[in-house]
Amino acid sequence: MAGTGTITSISAFFDRHRTACFLRQVLHERGAGDAKVGKARDSEIEVFKYLSTHSAGLRSREQIQNICEALKPFDLTQPEILQLVNLRPTNIVEIHLIVQECEARLDEARIEELLLIVKQHLGP
Amino acid sequence: MFFLSTLEESIRLEPKDLDKPRADAISLVIEELFVDKIVQDLGLVVTLYDIVSIASGFVHHSDGGPRFQVVFRVVVFRPFAGEVIVGKIKRVSRAGLHVSLGFFDDVIIPEHYLQEESMFDEAEQLWFWKYVGEDGQENKLYMELDEDIRFKSKAVRFQAIPTPEELRKAREKDPLIGTAEKPLALMEVIGEVYSEGLGPVAWWMDDDEENEQMPS
């Protein structure tokens, strides 16, 4: 396990931005991704595998903080921001899925802006 | 999908583990007890996050192993209502789709939560969506096994572990016992795919996206 100092500061962050990509980093440190470091249990490796295929990869706290800043002007709720980071939508249909009452809150131009931000911060 | 939860438990160490660093020995016991297990009404425990506090050990009468009151945090998997998640179709039946996330196998999309105009093909034993294209052409879009499917979590159901009394009373086909095909699931995620954008991921990709590599 990482030193207790790092964990207490990361945990407060985790609580607020409990994104899947952050969990992936935690599991990676436990040895889930690296056979040599391998102390992770089979089930933890399964979760790591899922996160590797389905979320934004290893992201530092600064990167996550940056995208939250960039998303502020859109007035999104916490669950909406969480899902944007976890799902990395690439088209309008996915945005409509994530943002409640999307037609009322975002016009097409805003949606394009949103997609661009997602691509810039979380792109391949 | 994942959140931190603080738990408090009385953890017992074996006498043989008393020479190990305290936190390490306790972590191992906690991991054995909790990781990859379902905690009723909470969710599936993914990993031990950290130990918050360990209260001094008590040795009970005639037990060589000390017990410690430990407060610790675990990462739990439990989708929130309305969360959009991607999984793989593992089994298909008349009742609906069974979807797996790899680390969690009990996601059910009941047939009444499929897209409107979904039908069951008896011959193929698969569900398909009868989709009328812009040109008026009728298309059968099948939901194939092992396909990536995007669904929205509608509800999470927990089942209490049956008591010996309940097991004794249960008849052969009782869901409490479960069968080899459908073992008793202590936690089930019920999902829907009827909203636009849900269903097999391939259905909603833009043409140019289908040729892109999946970023890692």
Side-chain angles (χ1 to χ4, degrees):
Chain A
M1 286 204 295
T4 32
T6 350
I7 291 205
T8 7
S9 47
I10 290 178
S11 67
F13 183 79
F14 197 153
D15 252 350
R16 270 187 306 124
H17 302 275
R18 23 186 169 97
T19 50
C21 50
F22 203 78
L23 172 62
R24 185 176 175 238
Q25 184 164 3
V26 171
L27 288 173
H28 184 78
E29 280 163 19
R30 299 276 160 83
D34 197 336
K36 280 175 272 177
V37 183
K39 273 193 316 153
R41 308 178 127 235
D42 286 342
S43 59
E44 290 172 333
I45 294 177
E46 278 300 322
V47 178
F48 184 79
K49 270 200 281 189
Y50 177 82
L51 292 171
S52 304
T53 9
H54 289 117
S55 75
L58 295 169
R59 297 283 155 173
S60 71
R61 291 160 65 189
E62 291 89 270
Q63 281 173 310
I64 298 184
Q65 260 157 353
N66 286 341
I67 188 174
C68 289
E69 275 301 312
L71 290 176
K72 270 209 181 119
F74 292 87
D75 259 336
L76 301 170
T77 64
Q78 271 291 339
E80 286 168 352
I81 299 179
L82 194 76
Q83 296 218 84
L84 267 177
V85 177
N86 282 352
L87 295 169
R88 284 182 303 172
T90 46
N91 59 43
I92 297 188
V93 173
E94 296 176 64
I95 298 279
H96 273 265
L97 211 41
I98 295 172
V99 180
Q100 304 293 330
E101 281 154 48
C102 195
E103 300 87 43
R105 290 159 65 188
L106 300 172
D107 61 15
E108 210 169 306
R110 294 286 270 174
I111 293 182
E112 289 296 331
E113 272 178 58
L114 205 50
L115 287 169
L116 198 58
I117 292 180
V118 169
K119 192 160 176 196
Q120 279 169 346
H121 285 89
L122 302 167
Chain B
M1 251 190 286
F2 303 97
F3 58 94
L4 278 185
S5 182
T6 308
L7 301 175
E8 183 174 345
E9 286 286 329
S10 168
I11 302 290
R12 181 185 177 278
L13 283 188
E14 288 285 319
K16 64 175 167 64
D17 294 327
L18 284 173
D19 59 339
K20 295 194 193 138
R22 188 60 29 91
D24 287 351
I26 288 184
S27 298
L28 279 174
V29 177
I30 293 177
E31 285 173 354
E32 264 306 312
L33 289 174
F34 287 92
V35 173
D36 204 27
K37 306 280 197 310
I38 309 255
V39 174
Q40 269 279 299
D41 296 330
L42 189 67
L44 172 71
V45 175
V46 166
T47 186
L48 169 64
Y49 192 68
D50 64 2
I51 293 185
V52 176
S53 68
I54 303 173
S56 42
F58 283 95
V59 179
H60 288 272
H61 186 44
S62 75
D63 182 359
R67 286 193 162 269
F68 298 87
Q69 203 60 20
V70 186
V71 178
F72 55 97
R73 285 186 297 191
V74 288
V75 177
V76 181
F77 163 76
R78 191 184 81 223
F80 56 84
E83 186 168 3
V84 176
I85 301 174
V86 177
K88 272 199 194 294
I89 300 178
K90 276 301 171 208
R91 263 191 313 126
V92 181
S93 70
R94 264 211 153 270
L97 307 173
H98 294 254
V99 175
S100 168
L101 303 179
F103 62 92
F104 181 78
D105 281 339
D106 295 307
V107 180
I108 314 247
I109 318 276
E111 50 95 18
H112 52 273
Y113 280 161
L114 293 172
Q115 298 270 7
E116 233 177 280
E117 292 300 323
S118 289
M119 294 174 184
F120 191 63
D121 186 327
E122 285 291 348
E124 299 276 347
Q125 287 288 301
L126 287 175
W127 282 91
F128 64 89
W129 185 30
K130 201 169 75 175
Y131 169 69
V132 180
E134 284 159 353
D135 49 358
Q137 275 274 27
E138 216 180 67
N139 298 297
K140 277 187 182 180
L141 291 175
Y142 277 85
M143 292 169 239
E144 307 276 356
L145 285 175
D146 250 0
E147 199 170 10
D148 275 346
I149 183 167
R150 196 182 286 130
F151 62 92
K152 211 180 236 198
S153 168
K154 267 287 221 191
V156 179
R157 271 207 301 242
F158 288 95
Q159 169 78 46
I161 299 179
T163 61
E165 185 62 36
E166 285 171 341
L167 284 175
R168 243 203 317 271
K169 285 194 187 153
R171 295 282 163 263
E172 208 187 274
K173 290 254 174 94
D174 198 323
L176 267 184
I177 300 184
T179 58
E181 273 173 8
K182 193 183 190 299
L184 175 65
L186 293 175
M187 174 175 156
E188 271 184 345
V189 174
I190 316 291
E192 58 102 336
V193 292
Y194 54 72
S195 309
E196 196 179 328
L198 295 177
V201 175
W203 289 3
W204 303 101
M205 278 202 274
D206 297 332
D207 287 323
D208 48 309
E209 275 179 344
E210 277 183 34
N211 302 323
E212 255 178 34
Q213 277 282 305
M214 262 299 280
S216 61

